[in-house]
């Protein structure tokens, strides 16, 4: 906010200085000069009003986009969480089966080891 105020003050100060310099160095007659100054000031006012309107529109668009983005992220987060939970439920029975098979393999290896030891001792 401070930067935009400084910019606006700078633009206005620059406009005033350039207007004063123009008034002091112009070769035009008074009536012509007043007409030109009025036209120029009307253009400046119109330009400033356009900037203000566009700034408000931009602020509203940013606010709207920010809200939509937050809602999308929230929805995406919920979807990802739900997918992970579903995946966990799907994988869990298989983990138990794998663990069961690993236990059986370990037992078979122990039995084989014992048989091998007993046969080598004879």
């Amino acid at each position: 906010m401070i930067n935009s105020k400084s910019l606006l003050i700078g633009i206005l100060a620059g406009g005033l200085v350039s207007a004063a310099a123009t008034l002091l160095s112009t070769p035009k007659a008074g009536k012509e000069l007043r007409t030109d100054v009025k036209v120029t000031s009307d253009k400046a006012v119109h330009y400033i009003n356009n900037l203000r309107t566009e700034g408000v529109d931009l602020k509203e668009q940013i606010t709207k986009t920010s809200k939509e983005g937050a809602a999308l992220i929230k929805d995406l987060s919920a979807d990802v969480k739900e997918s992970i939970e579903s995946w966990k439920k799907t994988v869990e029975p298989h983990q138990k089966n794998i663990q069961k098979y690993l236990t059986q393999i370990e037992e078979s290896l122990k039995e084989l080891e014992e048989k091998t030891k007993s046969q080598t001792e004879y």
Side-chain angles (χ1 to χ4, degrees):
M1 235 17 212
I2 293 174
N3 289 338
S4 61
K5 287 181 182 179
S6 297
L7 177 65
L8 185 58
I9 290 171
I11 290 172
L12 291 175
L16 290 174
V17 169
S18 65
T22 302
L23 285 173
L24 295 174
S25 64
T26 186
K28 295 183 180 181
K31 188 172 187 178
E32 262 185 88
L33 182 59
R34 284 190 297 272
T35 303
D36 286 351
V37 167
K38 182 170 177 15
V39 168
T40 304
S41 69
D42 288 344
K43 285 181 184 178
V45 167
H46 180 70
Y47 179 72
I48 289 171
N49 285 336
N50 280 344
L51 282 176
R52 183 178 54 85
T53 303
E54 289 174 4
V56 168
D57 291 345
L58 180 61
K59 178 185 170 192
E60 289 172 358
Q61 184 62 37
I62 289 171
T63 302
K64 180 181 175 186
T65 303
S66 175
K67 287 179 182 178
E68 288 174 355
L72 286 173
I73 289 173
K74 186 177 179 181
D75 291 344
L76 179 63
S77 175
D79 288 346
V80 167
K81 188 174 181 179
E82 184 179 317
S83 294
I84 290 172
E85 290 300 320
S86 173
W87 179 78
K88 282 181 180 179
K89 288 178 183 176
T90 303
V91 169
E92 190 174 338
H94 299 292
Q95 284 179 325
K96 290 178 182 177
N97 287 336
I98 290 172
Q99 188 64 36
K100 179 181 166 187
Y101 292 134
L102 285 174
T103 304
Q104 289 175 355
I105 290 172
E106 285 176 1
E107 289 173 1
S108 296
L109 285 173
K110 284 180 184 177
E111 287 176 13
L112 184 62
E113 251 181 50
E114 289 174 9
K115 284 182 183 178
T116 307
K117 280 184 182 180
S118 67
Q119 287 179 358
T120 55
E121 290 175 358
Y122 291 118

